[in-house]
Amino acid sequence: MEKVLTKNIEPDMAFRDLKTYEGVGGYQAAREALRLAPTEITEMVKKANLRGRGGAGFPTGLKWSFVPMGSDAPRPKYLVANADEMEPGTFKDRLLMEGDPHQLIEGMIVAAYAIQADVAYIFLRGEYKLSANRLERALAEAYDHHYLGKKILDSDYNLEMYLHTSAGRYMCGDETGLLNALEGKRANPRSKPPFPQTSGLWGKPTIVQNVETLCNVHHIVEHGPEWFRSLSYTEDGGTKLYGVSGKVTHPGLWELPMGTTAREILEDHAGGMRDGLTFRGLLPGGASTDFMVEEHLDLRMDFHEPQKAGSRLGTGTMIVLDDQSCPVGMARNLEHFFAQESCGWCTPCWSGLSWAERILGAMEEGRGEPEDLEHLAFLCNLCAPGHTFCALAPGAVEPLQSALKYFREDFERHIRDKRCPWR
Amino acid sequence: MLSPEERQEIEFELARYPTKRAVCIDALKIVQRHRGWVSDEGLRDIAALLDMSVDELDGVATFYNLIFRQPVGKHVVMVCDSVSCWLTGYERVREELTKRLGVKLGETTADGRFTLLPIVCLGACDRAPVMMVDGDLHPNLDAQKIEGILEKYR
């Protein structure tokens, strides 16, 4: 099966400099792309059915088509790579940035050209030190060779690209929270509309796109939308970086056709559960997705099929729960994260999530009460989509509401026995 | 007073953004890199340079996990407490760290050598459990490895 994003990443994760990157045809696609009309690129990306790899899965070309184009469009326009990989259980963009930083820069040049952006930022989480180091080196090389700056790649197009390293907060991964952080503010979400595509950074048209998404863009231009769609098992185009963590035999990350089944990822690639452990469930795409259980393992991991299990692809990096780990303890850990990372902007989120965390903590410590399950269900509804500014709280209750459904007996046992059976 | 180096590094960043304020997170990180943390005095100096009010800047500084508004030890140990590490042995790693260092999460050792902090998912979940010391990632931890790692940070 064909690899696209990881085909040039060395097993030893050595730095791939510009010379090495150009040796396998690097920046040729960008050079070609800059000879096309910007809207032609957007059309190709639309036809390729590329959808966002950051978790929400919004169609990429459609997002770009909302950006005002033409000579009377507001300027400057911005492109932002969302490299704030902070979704618990997610470790895919790190590989792309450490393993092949020029691939991200080339994808960003083509995406920026498609929306006629003047400035691009890579918004990187502060803890990714190696990524920062390699991206800085790669950006310097790209500037030295006039792949960035004025009249790049023998065209009339100008593009500045900068690395911004964040100071750490999950909210920065939210599109509008990220924009506030880049403007030097607290990363609270913004009310939408207006959408960033028309009014984003400093009120100017802005596209925010995940790293993995951007890394695909120039490959689509080079090989065409039909080729990109043919990489996938389903109607969503391309390959996908799938990951597995938890107590499996071989935790890791693999580039596979979009729509590979959860079972294949878990059993063939991650080698199944460690000896002596039994599978109980998995969060398919990071902490903010609903649990899937045994009966769902043959679903194809694309943007549609996980919905049959009430879940979603998310970031495509699964977290596996085994029978020797407590589902209530896992839910408590997750809600602790979300309660802590809530920015405090809207009440259902900051109040609801810390309340949920407290209830789960009490259950774990043997102080659970029979009405707790009802309270947790109430809190899941309180934080449901439409009740908050951003997706943090709705995402936070996805694993909780599904844990209550699939592991209800375990919750009841905590309350009845006044202790955690796993402790 | 900001040192000439701090001022120079902040001014370098100013060229990359259309407003002064946008640089404030970088500026906080620059001052912290030189001094270990951001004191009230450091905060005042940055605010003056970027035409921000001190309170506004403190609102930003206290929002972000990696800005320290209190002094920290010579080395900062950040242990991941998120879900993949929790599943694979975080609690034992934390116990070993608190026992060896003799401090709780959020505290600094009496000799000022280490500050122990919890951190959210470090994005190395296939190598869990993990911790980060001064920006170095230490993967695949178990209780036995902790002592050897801490020894390297004298």
Side-chain angles (χ1 to χ4, degrees), chain A residues 123-124 126 164-169 172 177-187, chain B residues 10 13 17 20-33 38 46 50 52 56-57 59-67:
Chain A
F123 188 101
L124 178 70
H164 172 92
T165 59
S166 177
R169 196 70 192 256
C172 297
L178 182 153
L179 297 178
N180 278 337
L182 257 180
E183 292 183 8
K185 300 171 184 161
R186 294 163 75 93
Chain B
I10 295 168
E13 291 294 333
Y17 302 86
K20 282 187 173 182
R21 183 196 174 122
V23 173
C24 74
I25 296 167
D26 286 303
L28 290 163
K29 289 174 75 172
I30 287 164
V31 166
Q32 180 165 299
R33 192 158 61 235
V38 181
I46 297 170
L50 301 179
M52 289 173 73
E56 217 174 9
L57 183 63
V60 174
T62 52
F63 186 85
Y64 292 93
N65 299 336
L66 302 178
I67 303 296

Side-chain angles (χ1 to χ4, degrees), chain A residues 91-361:
Chain A
F91 49 99
K92 65 186 184 68
D93 296 336
R94 175 202 284 276
L95 177 84
L96 296 172
M97 294 185 286
E98 290 180 357
D100 206 359
H102 280 290
Q103 175 173 246
L104 173 61
I105 295 170
E106 185 170 9
M108 287 180 71
I109 291 172
V110 178
Y113 176 75
I115 61 161
Q116 291 289 290
D118 303 278
V119 180
Y121 292 103
I122 302 173
F123 188 101
L124 178 70
R125 69 175 295 192
E127 296 90 339
Y128 276 16
K129 303 282 183 194
L130 186 60
S131 298
N133 174 293
R134 292 185 166 185
L135 285 166
E136 283 288 14
R137 282 165 73 184
L139 284 167
E141 288 181 319
Y143 267 105
D144 279 349
H145 286 74
H146 292 283
Y147 296 166
L148 292 172
K150 303 281 179 218
K151 295 188 182 298
I152 62 172
L153 292 149
D154 310 317
S155 75
D156 285 329
Y157 179 55
N158 304 326
L159 177 67
E160 304 295 337
M161 192 181 291
Y162 305 118
L163 177 69
H164 172 92
T165 59
S166 177
R169 196 70 192 256
Y170 179 64
M171 268 307 300
C172 297
D174 172 79
E175 187 179 43
T176 58
L178 182 153
L179 297 178
N180 278 337
L182 257 180
E183 292 183 8
K185 300 171 184 161
R186 294 163 75 93
N188 297 331
R190 296 178 182 176
S191 148
K192 293 189 273 193
F195 289 90
Q197 294 91 314
T198 53
S199 179
L201 265 182
W202 299 289
K204 303 295 184 186
T206 305
I207 286 290
V208 181
Q209 209 80 64
N210 169 261
V211 167
E212 186 185 351
T213 316
L214 287 165
C215 286
N216 279 298
V217 171
H218 55 290
H219 298 294
I220 293 173
V221 173
E222 188 176 7
H223 302 289
E226 292 75 22
W227 163 84
F228 190 74
R229 288 208 309 270
S230 76
L231 296 169
S232 164
Y233 288 139
T234 70
E235 65 187 272
D236 301 319
T239 62
K240 179 76 192 79
L241 291 183
Y242 292 107
V244 182
S245 67
K247 284 192 227 155
V248 295
T249 311
H250 305 295
L253 194 65
W254 308 273
E255 184 181 10
L256 301 169
M258 174 66 82
T260 302
T261 65
R263 188 181 301 283
E264 183 184 330
I265 298 163
L266 177 64
E267 293 175 2
D268 297 355
H269 299 283
M273 304 307 294
R274 285 189 202 164
D275 278 350
L277 297 181
T278 303
F279 171 83
R280 289 209 69 197
L282 60 81
L283 302 174
S288 61
T289 54
D290 284 85
F291 273 100
M292 288 170 42
V293 293
E294 180 72 34
E295 67 188 88
H296 305 130
L297 287 183
D298 294 311
L299 292 176
R300 294 199 172 277
M301 298 305 296
D302 65 1
F303 291 104
H304 298 88
E305 285 214 359
Q307 289 174 14
K308 292 180 187 168
S311 191
R312 58 196 179 93
L313 176 64
T315 60
T317 42
M318 21 173 109
I319 306 156
V320 178
L321 172 68
D322 58 277
D323 65 334
Q324 288 182 22
S325 301
C326 172
V328 179
M330 183 167 168
R332 177 197 194 180
N333 176 279
L334 292 166
E335 297 316 316
H336 166 74
F337 168 83
F338 289 115
Q340 174 186 295
E341 293 299 310
S342 170
C343 73
W345 191 245
C346 33
T347 308
C349 181
W350 67 255
S351 172
L353 296 179
S354 47
W355 190 3
E357 184 199 354
R358 230 175 310 163
I359 293 174
L360 293 162

